[in-house]
Amino acid sequence: MDDLEKKLISYIKEMNIAKDTLSQLKSVEISSMDLQLALCEKLGIGSMEPVDLPDKELSSDQMIELLLEYNFTKPKIIAQIEFEDSILPEGTPILLTEQRVKVKGEVWVIYKNDADSFPSTPHAHNYESGISLHLGTGEFFNKRKSKGFLACNKLILVRDRIKGYELPALDERCT
């Protein structure tokens, strides 16, 4: 048995122990691929390069330590809202991609378990502009930098379209 084969056998054994342990600790089913992608992310290895993981010679304990705080749950979309007329601040640049170009209106996505709780829990994303919206205050953000506020009547319109989920308290300026 050559050195590469020994590393691979050891890696698979340690990875399976870490996968089973983390699945139990986090009460979520973690696949081998989920674990490998998480390790790649934590170690700064490109997600297309999990073949480099056996060379790291990590023990299951090291893998568990690296991934103990890792969020393996995928965010669930709780609402997707489409508007005929834009609610974005005037002059906000829109990202144009080959896959999706909208002439008017916009789509906002709200996740149940967003990995990032900024600017509110939950909050809305407009991926075409890179803007997120605090669903309590109506404040717009781009990379955590404030970009202004949504008018109260439009904020209430947005909130009214999200059914069955607890939203942040409505800012007193809008009550």
Side-chain angles (χ1 to χ4, degrees):
M1 191 178 323
D2 67 3
D3 192 44
L4 178 61
E5 192 175 356
K6 286 179 186 174
K7 280 183 184 178
L8 188 56
I9 290 170
S10 176
Y11 167 73
I12 291 170
K13 177 185 165 213
E14 297 298 315
M15 182 197 59
N16 283 326
I17 293 168
K19 175 179 66 89
D20 293 342
T21 303
L22 286 166
S23 290
Q24 276 189 320
L25 289 171
K26 295 182 162 289
S27 300
V28 64
E29 185 64 34
I30 300 170
S31 71
S32 296
M33 184 55 75
D34 290 339
L35 187 112
Q36 291 180 88
L37 292 174
L39 283 171
C40 286
E41 183 179 322
K42 292 297 274 186
L43 295 170
I45 299 171
S47 63
M48 299 305 288
E49 303 299 327
V51 294
D52 292 339
L53 288 171
D55 290 332
K56 299 294 183 188
E57 298 185 50
L58 296 170
S59 70
S60 57
D61 287 340
Q62 290 171 312
M63 291 179 195
I64 292 165
E65 186 178 330
L66 275 170
L67 301 176
L68 197 54
E69 301 301 318
Y70 190 84
N71 183 4
F72 284 97
T73 57
K74 305 288 187 261
K76 177 184 172 191
I77 295 175
I78 60 173
Q80 184 165 308
I81 305 168
E82 191 165 342
F83 292 95
E84 287 298 318
D85 298 313
S86 178
I87 64 168
L88 287 168
E90 186 74 30
T92 299
I94 302 296
L95 301 175
L96 299 178
T97 62
E98 287 184 49
Q99 279 85 31
R100 185 172 184 171
V101 178
K102 290 181 74 93
V103 177
K104 71 177 198 171
E106 61 207 20
V107 175
W108 289 83
V109 179
I110 301 102
Y111 294 100
K112 180 179 182 181
N113 300 319
D114 201 321
D116 183 10
S117 61
F118 183 84
S120 65
T121 303
H123 56 273
H125 295 271
N126 178 263
Y127 290 110
E128 294 171 332
S129 66
I131 297 283
S132 59
L133 174 66
H134 188 296
L135 292 171
T137 65
E139 189 168 8
F140 291 110
F141 291 90
N142 185 332
K143 296 181 181 171
R144 297 186 181 253
K145 184 176 178 188
S146 179
K147 294 295 179 179
F149 286 86
L150 181 61
C152 287
N153 62 338
K154 289 186 179 181
L155 176 59
I156 292 167
L157 174 71
V158 169
R159 291 170 58 96
D160 285 348
R161 292 190 182 191
I162 304 167
K163 304 290 184 205
Y165 291 93
E166 188 175 334
L167 298 177
L170 186 61
D171 191 77
E172 55 188 49
R173 75 180 174 90
C174 296
T175 55

